[in-house]
């Protein structure tokens, strides 16, 4: 996915999911499939049966957008938000 001539941008990907068995495995598998390395990840499980993921990644915008589109297809995913330097 990554090409040598493009600059990598920092993105923060916030994902809200319903608590479910193996949801982290499915999410992390998509990151790997689209060649997006996770620099940092935090997970918080709330009292409302939802989990909140926040991942910092350095990748091309195109790869992050494709990843976001696929994350939306996971049944347990409620919301995906991407923040980059344009949104800070």
């Amino acid at each position: 996915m990554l090409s040598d001539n493009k600059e990598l941008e920092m993105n923060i990907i916030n994902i809200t999911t319903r608590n479910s068995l193996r949801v982290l495995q499915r999410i992390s598998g998509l990151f790997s499939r689209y060649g997006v390395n996770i620099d940092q990840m935090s997970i918080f499980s709330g009292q409302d049966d939802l989990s909140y993921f926040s991942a910092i990644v350095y990748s091309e915008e195109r790869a992050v957008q494709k990843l976001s589109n696929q994350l939306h297809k996971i049944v347990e995913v409620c919301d995906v938000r991407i923040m980059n330097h344009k949104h800070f």
Side-chain angles (χ1 to χ4, degrees):
M1 270 288 160
L2 296 178
S3 60
D4 295 333
N5 61 352
K6 294 197 178 181
E7 191 174 314
L8 302 180
E9 293 182 3
M10 184 184 87
N11 293 279
I12 300 172
I13 303 174
N14 294 313
I15 308 165
T16 304
T17 68
R18 290 189 299 280
N19 287 338
S20 176
L21 190 62
R22 295 190 195 105
V23 71
L24 175 59
Q25 180 182 4
R26 287 194 292 278
I27 289 172
S28 62
L30 284 177
F31 277 84
S32 176
R33 187 176 305 143
Y34 286 92
V36 177
N37 290 326
I38 300 170
D39 192 55
Q40 294 180 27
M41 182 177 245
S42 299
I43 304 169
F44 171 74
S45 182
Q47 295 178 349
D48 50 3
D49 283 335
L50 295 176
S51 292
Y52 304 91
F53 297 76
S54 183
I56 297 175
V57 301
Y58 291 89
S59 186
E60 296 175 6
E61 186 175 347
R62 180 173 171 225
V64 172
Q65 190 58 47
K66 285 184 176 185
L67 171 66
S68 173
N69 292 341
Q70 293 303 310
L71 285 169
H72 281 290
K73 293 181 182 181
I74 296 175
V75 173
E76 294 86 1
V77 171
C78 302
D79 188 36
V80 177
R81 295 176 189 235
I82 299 173
M83 297 183 349
N84 55 27
H85 69 279
K86 299 170 192 167
H87 297 103
F88 292 142

